[in-house]
């Protein structure tokens, strides 16, 4: 795994860099092939808050977590624990579904690379009096509703756009205020 470590208001010492790489590399054991995977780690300090953000696009799933505390090393430990919990939860659900449905396709593309949600930001645009401050473009990976909800939860978002593998249409799943999930699909 390759590491892209950035610091904001903090000096990245070799000891800190080695600690981050050692801890984040623990997540590699959950996946078969991680040689081309690049982990994006951001360390920042603002007042007395030490914040760590980690994003790792593993084959078939994008894992993201952030934690903050009064100590940078504690923040790193906490964010790695959070990543491992997310990965274990994902793997457990995928394995359970695979055992239940032998015809389930694996969440990795045929070429072995992650085919989901490569985000690209565009220039600022203005439309009908409303200011668009960010544009995202991404590939819609065909998946079922349960996998879309899992991806949404792992990203920490409250909605997720995906291509429904059953209907071949673009759908949106979202988290409702009551904690349950909703689905938006075209007529």
């Amino acid at each position: 795994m390759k590491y892209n470590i950035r610091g904001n208001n903090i000096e990245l010492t070799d000891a800190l860099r080695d600690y981050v790489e050692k801890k984040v590399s623990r997540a590699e054991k959950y996946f078969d092939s991680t040689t081309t995977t690049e982990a994006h780690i951001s360390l920042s300090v603002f007042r007395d808050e030490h914040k760590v953000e980690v994003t790792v696009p593993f084959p078939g799933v994008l894992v993201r977590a952030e934690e903050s505390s009064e100590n940078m090393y504690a923040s790193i430990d906490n964010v790695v624990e959070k990543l491992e919990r997310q990965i274990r939860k994902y793997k457990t659900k995928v394995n359970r579904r695979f055992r239940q449905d032998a015809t389930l396709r694996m969440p990795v593309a045929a070429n072995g690379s992650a085919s989901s949600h490569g985000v690209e930001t565009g220039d600022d645009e203005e439309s009908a009096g409303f200011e668009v401050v960010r544009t995202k473009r991404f590939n819609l990976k065909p998946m079922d509703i349960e996998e879309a909800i899992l991806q949404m939860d792992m990203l920490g978002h409250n909605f997720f756009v995906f291509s429904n593998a059953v209907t071949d249409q673009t759908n949106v799943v979202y988290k409702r205020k009551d904690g349950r999930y909703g689905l938006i699909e075209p007529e």
Side-chain angles (χ1 to χ4, degrees):
M1 183 181 313
K2 298 174 187 168
Y3 300 94
N4 181 1
I5 304 172
R6 294 183 181 176
N8 187 13
N9 295 333
I10 187 172
E11 181 184 343
L12 285 177
T13 63
D14 288 339
L16 187 58
R17 185 178 295 275
D18 290 342
Y19 190 79
V20 168
E21 288 180 8
K22 177 184 171 192
K23 289 294 187 171
V24 174
S25 69
R26 288 175 28 186
E28 289 183 50
K29 66 184 175 187
Y30 295 101
F31 295 93
D32 298 332
S33 170
T34 59
T35 55
T36 59
T37 303
E38 184 172 351
H40 302 278
I41 300 121
S42 174
L43 310 174
S44 60
V45 177
F46 185 69
R47 296 191 178 130
D48 288 333
E49 183 179 58
H50 295 79
K51 185 175 181 181
V52 179
E53 298 177 36
V54 179
T55 305
V56 186
F58 284 113
V61 63
L62 178 70
V63 182
R64 184 181 184 288
E66 64 181 67
E67 283 291 323
S68 59
S69 70
E70 294 179 1
N71 181 322
M72 184 58 75
Y73 289 95
S75 295
I76 294 167
D77 291 342
N78 291 341
V79 81
V80 169
E81 287 176 17
K82 194 173 195 179
L83 281 173
E84 286 184 322
R85 272 195 313 272
Q86 286 181 0
I87 294 168
R88 280 194 303 270
K89 180 179 174 183
Y90 173 77
K91 289 289 220 176
T92 301
K93 284 188 177 185
V94 167
N95 288 336
R96 185 179 304 133
R97 283 186 19 222
F98 184 72
R99 284 191 303 269
Q100 289 174 354
D101 182 10
T103 63
L104 178 71
R105 61 180 165 44
M106 294 305 293
V108 177
N111 63 3
S113 66
S115 61
S116 67
H117 310 289
V119 177
E120 193 181 297
T121 58
D123 294 332
D124 293 349
E125 298 177 10
E126 227 173 279
S127 173
F130 296 104
E131 183 180 0
V132 176
V133 295
R134 186 172 184 188
T135 300
K136 290 186 177 185
R137 299 183 192 283
F138 54 91
N139 295 325
L140 293 179
K141 175 186 171 190
M143 60 180 74
D144 59 20
I145 296 168
E146 193 173 299
E147 186 176 349
I149 291 171
L150 183 61
Q151 280 281 351
M152 177 183 66
D153 287 342
M154 288 181 64
L155 291 171
H157 294 169
N158 55 4
F159 72 94
F160 188 79
V161 180
F162 69 103
S163 175
N164 192 323
V166 177
T167 64
D168 255 355
Q169 293 181 325
T170 301
N171 290 175
V172 177
V173 291
Y174 62 96
K175 192 163 201 160
R176 297 168 40 98
K177 289 181 182 177
D178 62 6
R180 296 184 298 175
Y181 299 98
L183 174 69
I184 300 173
E185 55 186 1
E187 288 186 355

